[in-house]
């Protein structure tokens, strides 16, 4: 009797420890501690740092109370629309360029020096030129986002082709495959994960850039919300906007991961 | 009648001469083993034979013409893993038959047979990154057997396998070869394995590599490794390569 009681107790203890060690519990604890820390800091310095509660209220208000004529979700939609347009353009131009650069040493030799020259330049550095060329409308924003988003697409498409293990081509050839089968069976699937990784980086790059572009002058969008919060001295609006930006970025990356699992099941199988 | 004939074959990688003026014949239906020190050019030789890389000098003919995997029915079990990561075990093994347009019913029947033969029935739906090195090697072996090749090239195919599996697959290979009367070129490190399998063993030298000696193994099958004649041949080959 007594022994089994002790055993029970240790079992409970072990279960509790396991529970505390579980990843998700730790995530939750970490977040809660952060919010508490945030709240205490805000209480001590309330003028410039809003309390979590105030930010939440601000976000709830934003659901139906317009900011500069548009409710929060519409602002979010504006930013997303710019990202998606620019992203589509970056993919449509970037993947073919990257694939060609990976495929042909000659084409690579032509494009690489120019690409390397522009690659390290932060896209936002183009803003003045973009405004000169395209005005302050949508085009200049989309242009800047394309510049930011296209770099990882090109790089990864190029490496995706270049780093294919030649023994895979050998295997196809020995089984009697022709060059069309080599492309379909090896080149495409083998470069897909790398291309996809590029698309993932590119999307987060695009999202970062849209906010930066909107900070520089826009009447709508998440970057605008932040500027607006500053000009009306409403820190809760600023932090609320930042939160929406962060959550959106996270959701986009989750979306891409799910998509990758669908498209390249052989890559991710081990992780689940 | 010779299935493969190699004349004056030389292969250089830049300054490195790997194969130097190698000549030999492989008869139709023969089981040839090639043994040689690591890095002497065994893999290079098979790659040349399969026309995966160009020769510097010399010729290799299969059935009296240049090798062409689209025409000749060749299978190659590579030394390194070479299954397609995006195909499941089953689809990897089926691929060669798909390329060769084997009718579906026949394909299913052969698939079931070879998968059972290499003992992979439990993991046909797994991807290569989910299976062990030994299993991946067995995928390559099954893939090669499935197309019923006239010429089977095997580059240290059993190196990754444990002893029991190796003995079993050696016997299966001999059985398949006896039934189909195809020609096999089998590269190995393992002298006992070569004496157990081969009609004839080519012993290669160090780089620049030539054929150091041929050893005929004229023993009935299934062979008994305890047979004194078996030991004699094994010792003969061992002596030949002592100088590596
Ligand atoms: N593509 C290559 N470029 C340069 N050297 C190579 C290449 N392939 C093989 N070699 C060299 O040729 C020699 C023979 O290699 P290999 O045929 O793989 O040997 P083995 O299969 O007998 O162990 C080695 O010294 C290797 O370094
Ligand atoms: Mg080798």
């Amino acid at each position: 009797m007594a022994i089994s009681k002790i055993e029970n107790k240790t079992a409970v203890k072990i279960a509790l420890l396991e529970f505390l060690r579980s990843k998700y519990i730790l995530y939750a604890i970490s977040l809660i501690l952060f919010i508490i820390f945030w709240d205490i800091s805000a209480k001590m310095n309330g003028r410039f740092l809003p309390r979590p509660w105030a930010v939440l209220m601000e976000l709830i208000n934003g659901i139906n109370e317009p900011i500069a004529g548009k409710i929060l979700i519409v602002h979010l939609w504006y930013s997303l629309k710019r990202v998606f347009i620019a992203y589509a353009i970056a993919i449509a131009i970037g993947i073919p360029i990257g694939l060609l650069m990976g495929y042909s040493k000659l084409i690579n030799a032509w494009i690489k020096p120019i690409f390397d020259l522009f690659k390290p330049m932060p896209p936002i550095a183009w803003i003045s030129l973009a405004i000169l060329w395209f005005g302050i409308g949508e085009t200049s924003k989309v242009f800047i986002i394309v510049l930011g988003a296209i770099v990882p697409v090109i790089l990864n498409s190029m490496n995706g082709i270049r780093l294919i293990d030649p023994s895979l081509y050998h295997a196809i050839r020995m089984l009697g495959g022709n060059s069309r089968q080599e492309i379909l069976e090896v080149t495409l699937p083998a470069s897909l994960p790398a291309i996809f990784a590029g698309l993932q980086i590119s999307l987060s790059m695009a999202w970062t850039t849209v906010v930066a572009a909107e900070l520089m002058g826009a009447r709508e969008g998440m970057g605008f919300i932040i500027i607006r919060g500053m000009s009306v001295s409403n820190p809760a609006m600023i932090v609320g906007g930042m939160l929406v930006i962060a959550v959106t970025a996270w959701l986009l990356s989750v979306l891409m991961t799910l998509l990758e699992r669908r498209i390249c099941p052989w890559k991710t199988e081990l992780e689940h | 009648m010779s299935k493969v004939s190699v004349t004056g074959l030389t292969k250089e990688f830049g300054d490195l001469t790997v194969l130097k003026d190698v000549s030999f014949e492989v008869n139709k239906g023969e089981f040839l083993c090639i043994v040689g020190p690591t890095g002497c050019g065994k893999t290079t030789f098979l790659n040349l034979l399969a026309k995966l890389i160009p020769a510097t000098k010399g010729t290799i003919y299969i059935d009296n013409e240049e090798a062409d995997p689209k025409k000749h029915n060749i299978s190659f079990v590579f030394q390194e893993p070479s299954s397609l990561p995006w195909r499941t075990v089953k689809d990897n093994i089926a691929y060669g038959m798909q390329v060769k347009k084997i009718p579906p019913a026949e394909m299913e029947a052969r698939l079931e047979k070879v998968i059972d033969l290499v003992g992979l029935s439990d993991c046909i739906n797994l991807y290569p990154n989910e299976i062990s090195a030994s299993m991946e090697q067995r995928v390559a072996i099954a893939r090669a057997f499935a197309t019923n090749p006239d010429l089977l090239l095997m580059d240290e195919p059993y190196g990754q396998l444990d002893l029991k599996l190796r003995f079993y697959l050696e016997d299966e290979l001999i059985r398949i070869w006896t039934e189909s009367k195809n020609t096999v070129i089998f590269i190995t490190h393992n002298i006992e394995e070569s004496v157990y399998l081969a009609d004839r063993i080519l012993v290669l030298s160090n780089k620049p590599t030539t054929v150091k000696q041929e050893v005929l193994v004229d023993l009935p099958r299934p062979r008994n490794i305890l047979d004194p004649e078996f030991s004699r041949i094994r010792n003969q080959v061992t002596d030949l390569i002592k100088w590596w």
Side-chain angles (χ1 to χ4, degrees), chain A residues 220-271:
Chain A
E220 64 289 291
M222 292 318 295
F224 167 78
I225 295 275
I226 286 174
I227 290 291
R228 182 64 168 212
M230 189 172 75
S231 56
V232 301
S233 298
N234 182 355
M237 191 189 285
I238 301 177
V239 176
M242 288 164 65
L243 274 183
V244 172
I245 290 167
V247 170
T248 309
W250 178 72
L251 283 176
L252 289 177
S253 82
V254 169
L255 197 76
M256 289 300 281
T257 309
L258 290 180
L259 205 62
E260 186 187 19
R261 274 192 198 162
R262 281 313 282 279
I263 296 180
C264 323
W266 68 90
K267 267 286 158 187
T268 39
E269 207 74 14
L270 272 184
E271 286 158 31

Side-chain angles (χ1 to χ4, degrees), chain A residues 105-148:
Chain A
K105 287 214 170 80
L106 197 70
I107 294 178
N108 193 31
W110 277 98
I111 303 182
K112 197 173 183 310
I114 305 166
F115 181 63
D116 284 349
L117 184 70
F118 286 98
K119 190 175 62 182
M121 210 179 296
I124 206 67
W126 286 85
I127 194 119
S128 308
L129 265 188
I131 291 174
L132 271 182
W133 291 345
F134 306 113
I136 41 171
E138 291 302 287
T139 317
S140 59
K141 291 185 187 64
V142 168
F143 174 74
I144 291 168
I145 303 166
V146 169
L147 288 180

Side-chain angles (χ1 to χ4, degrees), chain A residues 172-173 175 185 189-190 266 269, chain B residues 85-87 95 100 129-130:
Chain A
I172 296 290
R173 227 170 290 166
L175 291 165
E185 264 318 305
W266 68 90
E269 207 74 14
Chain B
W86 36 91
R87 282 181 169 253
Y95 185 68
K100 297 196 157 75
N129 73 346
E130 299 173 293

Side-chain angles (χ1 to χ4, degrees), chain B residues 66-209:
Chain B
E66 296 260 319
D68 177 2
K70 286 193 206 66
K71 193 158 52 183
H72 299 118
N73 194 359
I74 308 175
S75 277
F76 196 151
V77 180
F78 296 96
Q79 186 172 9
E80 305 298 330
S82 63
S83 44
L84 303 170
W86 36 91
R87 282 181 169 253
T88 59
V89 165
K90 185 177 181 184
D91 290 342
N92 258 292
I93 297 173
Y95 185 68
M97 290 190 281
Q98 287 168 3
V99 170
K100 297 196 157 75
K101 303 212 167 58
I102 308 284
E106 161 87 23
M107 185 152 88
E108 278 304 316
R110 280 203 218 167
L111 264 178
E112 200 172 317
K113 227 165 91 184
V114 288
I115 289 173
D116 189 48
L117 179 98
V118 295
L120 288 176
S121 309
D122 290 339
C123 36
I124 51 173
N125 291 321
L126 296 180
Y127 287 102
N129 73 346
E130 299 173 293
I131 60 179
S132 68
S134 147
M135 288 155 89
E136 199 175 350
Q137 194 56 24
R138 282 182 272 157
V139 171
I141 293 163
R143 184 171 71 181
F145 286 171
T147 51
N148 287 345
D150 304 329
L151 177 60
L152 180 56
L153 311 176
M154 304 181 87
D155 193 358
E156 306 194 25
Y158 297 165
Q160 301 274 359
L161 308 181
D162 65 57
L163 216 60
K164 198 172 138 222
L165 203 54
R166 209 187 77 209
F167 289 161
Y168 162 73
L169 283 176
E170 283 168 7
D171 285 335
E172 285 299 315
L173 175 58
I174 291 295
R175 188 180 60 74
I176 290 170
W177 167 74
T178 314
E179 275 172 17
S180 67
K181 281 287 142 226
N182 56 4
T183 310
V184 181
I185 301 182
F186 189 103
I187 287 175
T188 177
H189 240 102
N190 186 315
I191 294 161
E192 185 163 280
E193 184 173 51
S194 70
V195 181
Y196 187 76
L197 294 173
D199 287 332
R200 184 161 56 112
I201 302 171
L202 291 187
V203 182
L204 302 184
S205 69
N206 257 316
K207 276 189 302 256
T209 303

